[in-house]
Amino acid sequence: CDSTIVLSGLFDMPIEVVKGLDVFPNPSTGDLTIELPELMRGQVLVRDVTGQVVVNRDMDYQKALQLDLSDYHVGMYIVEVVSECGKRFAERVVIY
């Protein structure tokens, strides 16, 4: 068993939460840096607390990227990364 993987649920959807996905600063005023555990291709989704996708962005073989959520309401969001092979990584972030 890989100790870096934790099975979890997000909006009734099982996900793999991999230690090493880093979203900072957290809490944030909106400007976020997302560092991935490896170079990957896929999508970055940001969901609000109701599960609605508020950001859907493609990434093409990246290890880090920037997001600006400063135009969104104060609250908690889930930053989810889905690799092209179907792995899901997620981290909660608070925007204030």
Side-chain angles (χ1 to χ4, degrees), residues 79-92:
V79 176
E80 183 180 2
V81 175
V82 182
S83 72
E84 68 180 345
C85 64
K87 286 186 179 177
R88 294 181 180 273
F89 313 99
E91 183 68 45
R92 291 181 184 97

Side-chain angles (χ1 to χ4, degrees), residues 30-88:
D31 289 322
L32 296 174
T33 298
I34 302 168
E35 289 187 353
L36 306 166
E38 60 193 50
L39 189 68
M40 66 176 63
R41 183 177 185 193
Q43 285 184 299
V44 175
L45 306 167
V46 178
R47 298 177 189 270
D48 64 16
V49 293
T50 67
Q52 180 180 359
V53 175
V54 295
V55 174
N56 184 348
R57 180 172 157 187
D58 291 332
M59 54 180 200
D60 193 21
Y61 297 107
Q62 291 177 261
K63 180 137 173 66
L65 60 126
Q66 304 290 317
L67 282 181
D68 181 6
L69 301 181
S70 59
D71 290 336
Y72 293 90
H73 293 289
V74 169
M76 186 177 75
Y77 293 84
I78 304 295
V79 176
E80 183 180 2
V81 175
V82 182
S83 72
E84 68 180 345
C85 64
K87 286 186 179 177
R88 294 181 180 273

Side-chain angles (χ1 to χ4, degrees), residues 17-34:
V17 179
V18 175
K19 294 176 185 174
L21 177 66
D22 200 10
V23 180
F24 59 90
N26 190 11
S28 172
T29 58
D31 289 322
L32 296 174
T33 298
I34 302 168

